[in-house]
Structure formats: structure tokens, C-alpha cells
Amino acid sequence: RFLVETMTDWTIRTACSQAVKFQGLSIVPMSVSVNLSFLQFNRPNLIATVGEILEETGLDPALLTLELTESSLMGDQSKVCRILAGLQELGIKIAIDDFGMGYSSLKDLSKFPLDTLKIDSFFIQNLSEEHYAAVVSSIIAISQTLRLKVIAEGVETEQQLGILRKYGCHAMQGHYHS
């Protein structure tokens, strides 16, 4: 447990420090995202530690996103809501990563204080199949209704990009762009 906490702190601190350094080289502020595991998310001092790191590095909290998997949000719902709200009070953003591969319910999505939903690349890779396209379209529509930014992961073709744009997806990640 100590090693996980130490590595988590180092990862967040390094990401924030690098974002601040890159800002000095650019006119455009650079945001940074850090993935947290279930264990990292549920540590008792997470909110205080993230706050200390933001203060220490000088990163604008609005430029930090913490990404969590759906499974990280399972368990004591009131505790999860408290942690998410505490993190958002710091001014950071919260994203659900690999959405669609876990067991989130619409009830959970609607009550958690979230900013972004990232659609798992599995669905994007199978977007040419009608039933997967329907799932992706529905995820995007639900996310927009909940006022969540939507990011599609694993975009590799112009066809996928076109379909996602048609559905109103906010942003895409993947080899097509790199």
C-alpha cells in the first residue's frame, strides 16, 4: 500500500510539474490527465494530497483531470460521491476512462459529479457493426444529456472519425490523430 501511494503521488506530481514547464514554452495552457486505480482512488488522504501537489507545483487545478475506471466507482456510493466532490472542489476535472467495459448504471452516472466520459476503444474498433454503432451513439447522447464531455478512445480510421463527428462526439484519441 505504501508503494502504491508513493507511486501515485510521484505520478501526479511529475505530471503537474511537466504541465507547468510546458506552459512556459507555449501560449496555450496544457492540460494533463492522470489515471487512478481503485486502490489509489480509495486512499484516505487522496484529496489532501492532490491539493498539496497542486499548490506545490503551481498548476492551475482546471488543467488537471483524474481518470477513473468504472470499477473504481463501485462500492459505497456516498463515499465515492464525497471523494469526487472533494476533488472537484479543488477545481480539477474527473473523467470515467474505458466507459462501457464496467458496470456503471445510469443512476450512478447521473448522480456522480463527473466532467468527462471516455468511450472504450473496443466500441470504436467495432463501430462499423450496426449494434456497436448504436451503443456508441447512445453513450454519446446520454453523456450529452448529462452535460458530460465525451471522448472516443482508439480512433484509427477516417470512417470512425466521421461517424463519431456525426454522433456529436466532443473529442477523439487514437492513432488516426498521431
Side-chain angles (χ1 to χ4, degrees):
R1 188 173 189 101
F2 173 75
L3 184 58
V4 169
E5 288 185 15
T6 302
M7 290 300 295
T8 300
D9 295 353
W10 178 86
T11 302
I12 296 170
R13 184 174 284 107
T14 301
C16 291
S17 295
Q18 284 301 125
V20 170
K21 286 180 186 175
F22 289 144
Q23 283 177 21
L25 303 173
S26 174
I27 297 171
V28 179
M30 180 178 191
S31 62
V32 64
S33 296
V34 177
N35 290 73
L36 292 182
S37 71
F38 174 81
L39 187 60
Q40 295 164 331
F41 177 71
N42 283 289
R43 62 188 268 208
N45 60 344
L46 176 66
I47 298 166
T49 300
V50 172
E52 291 167 11
I53 291 171
L54 288 168
E55 189 173 317
E56 172 189 317
T57 61
L59 181 69
D60 177 352
L63 298 176
L64 175 63
T65 299
L66 294 180
E67 296 187 10
L68 310 161
T69 60
E70 291 174 81
S71 60
S72 296
L73 304 178
M74 298 298 114
D76 181 348
Q77 302 296 296
S78 61
K79 177 184 174 189
V80 169
C81 284
R82 279 194 311 274
I83 295 170
L84 293 173
L87 290 168
Q88 281 193 327
E89 283 177 23
L90 294 175
I92 66 170
K93 294 179 176 49
I94 305 294
I96 299 297
D97 194 19
D98 301 329
F99 184 79
M101 300 309 283
Y103 302 101
S104 288
S105 70
L106 292 177
K107 177 185 78 158
D108 293 339
L109 276 182
S110 65
K111 75 177 180 180
F112 289 147
L114 303 170
D115 300 290
T116 304
L117 189 138
K118 296 177 74 175
I119 303 170
D120 188 78
S121 62
F122 170 83
F123 295 102
I124 307 310
Q125 297 310 307
N126 293 289
L127 200 51
S128 61
E129 296 180 39
E130 190 175 319
H131 59 282
Y132 288 117
V135 169
V136 170
S137 174
S138 298
I139 290 171
I140 292 169
I142 289 168
S143 298
Q144 291 171 341
T145 299
L146 296 173
R147 294 184 174 90
L148 299 174
K149 179 179 177 183
V150 185
I151 300 174
E153 298 181 301
V155 177
E156 296 184 1
T157 68
E158 190 170 345
Q159 179 188 18
Q160 292 167 342
L161 179 68
I163 292 169
L164 291 164
R165 282 185 174 157
K166 181 178 84 174
Y167 292 158
C169 188
H170 297 112
M172 292 108 196
Q173 293 177 307
H175 295 294
Y176 181 79
H177 294 292
S178 62

